[in-house]
Amino acid sequence: MSRHHEDDGVARAWGGGVVTKALGVVAVVYLAGVWSEAVKSGTSARWLPAPVAYFTQVAALFPGAARVTLDYRVEGYRCRDKSWSEIDVRPYFPIDADNKENRFYRFFHFYHQADDEMMRALEAFVLHHHNADAIDAAAAGRGGEQVGGVRFVRLKLPIGAPGDGEPRYERKPLDAYPDEVRERIFATPKAQREERCAAIGH
Amino acid sequence: MRGDRPLKKGEPARDKGIAPRADAPLPQTHVPTVVGLLSRWLGAPEPVLRLEIIRIAAPLATLGFMSSRLAHADEWLSDVGFQVPRMAIPDYRQPLYLSPLSPTAAWILAAVMVVSGLAVAAGFRARGAALVFAGTLLYVALADRLAAFTVSKLSPAVMLALAASPCGVRFGVDAWRRRRADPEAPLPAHVAAASPRFFQVLLPVFYSGGALAKARGDWLKNPILLFTHLHDSYQTALSWAVLHVMPGWAFTVIQAVVFTLECGAPVWFAWKRTRGVALVTAIAMHALIGLMFWPVRWFSLLMIALWCGAYAPEAWLERAAARSTRM
């Protein structure tokens, strides 16, 4: 890296020449990428390598209106009474655990029902952590119940109109929401739930 | 008042010089070329504070954004936390697959990020530190798409631009050490404009592009679009109060102001007469975004830092630099 040049009292990073021109070209390419990507999503990826184009996807912020408020939850399959009940996965996704920037929420922002491999990976992760915690809790005499499978649920909460006087946002238990706002995204198949329940000893 | 009479041909004038020849040739001038104008625009002196404001504030805002991730570096970047598997087909959601780090490597990377970011802000080996900081930011943005947002993707470019600039020549540890080594050496008050120009162009490009994305989206169709974004876990006490107090038409007015500011950003910030109002509006907009969408506050701070560095009035910056010399 060159030293600062201050011949005329004006500090310069580079003495001019090839480096300055090359940096100028890089800057123009970057700015063109940012603008074209904002104007139409996917444009910069057509003429820039994907990892570079990725860094130009910065300017298209909040282009659409929210139709509903989204939230994502997990239910665990209780082998003993063959029922589903909510399990809290926030301890397994501790980064920004209480807002929609957490990685669990973001997973569903990017991946959908059709992304079966991804759903399976998340299922395995949640099951492993929940059941390991349950074993530890049982060993410590604090209860703890392993589950045979998981179900991912999307909550679609309606947005009112200005002046409706809605209550302040709070995270409520899944049971507090009516069925019509719950959408099941993924569930461990029945055969696998039964197999896992048998292994657990139920 | 003495009346002027026209001079006769060849008559010497006592206080007016010699009468010009009627067929005098025009002075030789160079026709300005685009390249010439551009190089003059990029080489002109700009207040050193433009870069110094960005050098100090941008890495701090970026580290603030990263802080919630850095506190759980192993969950974030290693197999201790959930990691999206490698996708078989190239996909926009995974522009480059990077295998998870070991927990130790994740913590080392986090430490390097913090130290290099603080070094940039402190002006300690600022340009080299900016390069290292940019490297860590590039890595984490690519390694974990789930925790990557605008700050994750914009900050590497900001840091690379700082690394390519003469930042740190006026304030910070390096400037202080240079001053101690040679107290008579003048402190630079100006930098060549190329680096500040990058930020001055980046912001209108960013906002005008964003406005076109908004126009393609719902901003021209839904008059209460801002209202619809105030209901989820981003909500603060202020945004909830605004939700209750403000009538529907007020959301439309704010929406129009934001859209006008962003859409016309290249004009508002290029034209000297509108620049001040546009700058105040942009800062107010980001201050409100930060206060009403609390998790987004670091993005707001980063953008405010860029706006202030790029477009704060030159006279203010000159005065502040002069005051710092006297201190």
Side-chain angles (χ1 to χ4, degrees):
Chain A
M1 198 172 284
S2 70
R3 295 178 57 202
H4 301 130
H5 302 263
E6 296 167 25
D7 316 331
D8 48 2
V10 176
R12 290 179 178 79
W14 310 92
V18 180
V19 177
T20 311
K21 284 184 183 125
L23 288 171
V25 170
V26 170
V28 169
V29 168
Y30 173 71
L31 293 168
V34 168
W35 197 80
S36 65
E37 183 62 30
V39 172
K40 193 168 182 214
S41 176
T43 308
S44 64
R46 282 192 208 144
W47 56 282
L48 287 171
V52 178
Y54 172 66
F55 287 94
T56 64
Q57 297 160 358
V58 288
L61 302 173
F62 295 100
R67 268 77 188 172
V68 289
T69 294
L70 293 173
D71 198 358
Y72 298 95
R73 303 294 177 88
V74 181
E75 291 176 296
Y77 184 73
R78 303 175 66 173
C79 300
R80 207 169 289 164
D81 52 9
K82 295 184 170 43
S83 66
W84 296 94
S85 62
E86 183 175 11
I87 57 178
D88 187 0
V89 296
R90 284 177 294 176
Y92 316 135
F93 296 88
I95 298 169
D96 293 320
D98 290 317
N99 68 59
K100 66 179 187 178
E101 293 199 351
N102 80 78
R103 298 173 71 249
F104 177 71
Y105 186 108
R106 291 276 288 172
F107 175 87
F108 293 106
H109 174 77
F110 289 113
Y111 301 101
H112 310 286
Q113 277 95 332
D115 300 303
D116 192 57
E117 188 196 350
M118 298 299 158
M119 295 295 158
R120 290 289 187 172
L122 185 64
E123 173 204 30
F125 177 83
V126 171
L127 271 173
H128 170 77
H129 279 75
H130 176 82
N131 287 346
D133 281 358
I135 292 167
D136 289 349
R142 290 184 278 107
E145 183 181 348
Q146 294 187 61
V147 295
V150 292
R151 197 158 70 176
F152 302 137
V153 179
R154 179 184 289 123
L155 286 173
K156 288 181 162 182
L157 310 174
I159 291 170
D164 276 1
E166 66 184 78
R168 185 160 175 194
Y169 171 84
E170 63 171 325
R171 183 190 162 94
K172 294 179 194 162
L174 187 57
D175 287 345
Y177 297 102
D179 268 349
E180 57 264 28
V181 300
R182 301 190 204 180
E183 182 191 344
R184 280 170 203 147
I185 303 171
F186 170 89
T188 306
K190 190 177 179 188
Q192 287 171 21
R193 292 200 307 262
E194 285 171 354
E195 192 179 313
R196 199 167 287 120
C197 284
I200 291 167
H202 292 287
Chain B
M1 212 171 137
R2 200 172 60 179
D4 281 344
R5 70 174 168 77
L7 293 171
K8 288 177 191 161
K9 192 178 177 186
E11 179 190 359
R14 278 187 203 130
D15 55 352
K16 292 176 186 157
I18 294 172
R21 277 168 47 190
D23 58 346
L26 289 169
Q28 291 263 328
T29 55
H30 293 285
V31 178
T33 60
V34 174
V35 174
L37 286 172
L38 192 65
S39 70
R40 198 150 20 123
W41 185 64
L42 293 172
E46 279 285 324
V48 68
L49 270 175
R50 291 215 184 284
L51 284 182
E52 298 294 60
I53 288 171
I54 295 171
R55 176 185 61 76
I56 294 166
L60 294 179
T62 305
L63 283 175
F65 169 80
M66 293 291 172
S67 59
S68 58
R69 293 150 180 78
L70 290 164
H72 303 283
D74 53 348
E75 301 269 353
W76 183 23
L77 300 167
S78 83
D79 272 335
V80 170
F82 174 71
Q83 302 298 335
V84 174
R86 181 177 207 147
M87 297 179 83
I89 307 163
D91 191 292
Y92 79 97
R93 294 168 293 186
Q94 201 171 67
L96 180 69
Y97 178 76
L98 296 169
S99 303
L101 299 173
S102 69
T104 309
W107 284 113
I108 290 171
L109 181 79
V112 172
M113 180 185 281
V114 172
V115 171
S116 58
L118 290 176
V120 179
F124 179 68
R125 304 263 192 266
R127 298 176 63 197
L131 205 55
V132 175
F133 191 38
T136 61
L137 294 170
L138 284 165
Y139 180 86
V140 299
L142 284 166
D144 185 21
R145 181 74 183 86
L146 299 182
F149 291 82
T150 302
V151 175
S152 321
K153 291 189 263 182
L154 184 61
S155 55
V158 172
M159 291 308 136
L160 288 174
L162 285 175
S165 79
C167 70
V169 289
R170 177 61 182 250
F171 298 107
V173 176
D174 288 344
W176 173 75
R177 286 168 65 189
R178 281 176 62 196
R179 192 98 199 271
R180 265 185 47 152
D182 182 4
E184 300 306 315
L187 287 167
H190 295 95
V191 290
S195 305
R197 296 282 187 252
F198 172 75
F199 297 107
Q200 287 172 339
V201 175
L202 171 64
L203 291 168
V205 162
F206 184 101
Y207 285 88
S208 62
L212 291 174
K214 288 176 169 70
R216 287 170 66 94
D218 294 333
W219 278 63
L220 302 178
K221 297 173 202 153
N222 187 333
I224 54 161
L225 183 138
L226 294 177
F227 170 86
T228 68
H229 285 291
L230 295 176
H231 305 265
D232 57 28
S233 57
Y234 274 174
Q235 194 183 72
T236 63
L238 177 66
S239 45
W240 184 64
V242 164
L243 209 63
H244 274 249
V245 172
M246 271 194 2
W249 61 263
F251 287 101
T252 311
V253 170
I254 296 173
Q255 192 173 322
V257 170
V258 170
F259 187 78
T260 308
L261 173 75
E262 295 196 3
C263 196
V267 176
W268 311 143
F269 287 93
W271 193 18
K272 215 171 178 178
R273 284 192 175 184
T274 50
R275 199 177 295 155
V277 176
L279 179 63
V280 170
T281 312
I283 291 171
M285 173 179 82
H286 279 295
L288 276 175
I289 289 172
L291 290 169
M292 293 175 68
F293 304 101
W294 192 238
V296 186
R297 64 196 179 281
W298 303 115
F299 166 69
S300 286
L301 286 173
L302 175 64
M303 299 318 287
I304 288 172
L306 295 181
W307 279 121
C308 288
Y311 287 106
E314 200 165 325
W316 293 8
L317 299 176
E318 301 279 13
R319 221 176 301 149
R323 200 171 296 152
S324 76
T325 313
R326 287 198 297 271
M327 284 196 318

